[in-house]
Amino acid sequence: MDDSQEQQDRHFMELALSLAETAAAKGQTPFGAVVVNRDGKLLGEGYNSVRADRDPTAHGEIVAIRAAWRAVGAWQMLGGCALYSSCEPCLLCSFVITQIGFSRVVFAARGSDVPTYRPLLGADLAVAAAWVNSQPDWPPLEVVPDFMRERALQIITAFPWAQASTRTRVESTR
């Protein structure tokens, strides 16, 4: 990885991690993400708002993708973009990432770092990307794992996971 790519990765991962901290401060699970186009322009950002919005799909990655889609006007324009996430995307998010045709995902913590982690079918982004990259008719997906993982682990460790398991309503993020 060249220096300019690493600087860009660090900048956008800092933003994703900051969004994870915002989520935690609002009583949401500590996950944040950003979408960046090929030119390095921020298109969308988001953090987990599942309980606040009563939306089981409002994962940080999905919230960021929705914001990016609104910014560019068509989901097809997100093909080739990069997604930075404070944690490895789950299968729900991985499906959306691959269907849109993101070319790169950089994540900090692994799903298995989360105390309440329960992978569907024993899979997450790493498994999904390996399958996608073996398909001749799918766009390739570069995955950069464990980028700034120690910082993400600090955020995850500080979160009160017992509170998250109660699934109580918190104030809306909107």
Side-chain angles (χ1 to χ4, degrees):
M1 176 182 328
D2 65 33
D3 286 343
S4 65
Q5 183 65 64
E6 186 166 351
Q7 286 176 348
Q8 177 174 309
D9 288 351
R10 186 164 301 285
H11 171 75
F12 288 117
M13 185 57 74
E14 287 283 353
L15 182 53
L17 292 167
S18 176
L19 289 162
E21 291 173 323
T22 298
K26 293 181 178 253
Q28 300 296 302
T29 50
F31 306 115
V34 298
V35 174
V36 177
N37 73 8
R38 291 183 195 114
D39 299 324
K41 178 183 177 197
L42 177 68
L43 298 179
E45 61 182 49
Y47 56 82
N48 185 293
S49 60
V50 168
R51 290 181 295 147
D53 295 343
R54 295 182 179 163
D55 178 356
T57 68
H59 295 193
E61 298 91 340
I62 301 300
V63 174
I65 291 168
R66 287 175 179 157
W69 184 345
R70 283 190 294 274
V72 299
W75 68 266
Q76 295 88 343
M77 296 188 66
L78 297 177
C81 286
L83 183 131
Y84 293 81
S85 181
S86 62
C87 190
E88 182 175 14
C90 68
L91 277 187
L92 167 87
C93 298
S94 297
F95 179 79
V96 174
I97 289 164
T98 59
Q99 291 300 298
I100 288 175
F102 278 79
S103 62
R104 190 164 189 263
V105 175
V106 181
F107 66 83
R110 293 192 174 258
S112 56
D113 293 328
V114 177
T116 57
Y117 180 65
R118 289 182 9 201
L120 181 63
L121 303 174
D124 44 35
L125 179 69
V127 172
W131 183 87
V132 165
N133 289 333
S134 71
Q135 305 306 306
D137 56 343
W138 285 59
L141 178 61
E142 177 189 2
V143 176
V144 180
D146 304 327
F147 191 81
M148 298 177 63
R149 184 175 184 212
E150 290 305 315
R151 170 116 183 271
L153 290 174
Q154 290 171 350
I155 296 167
I156 288 169
T157 301
F159 186 75
W161 289 99
Q163 170 193 335
S165 67
T166 65
R167 304 285 185 208
T168 57
R169 173 103 167 108
V170 295
E171 292 304 309
S172 176
T173 59
R174 294 187 167 72

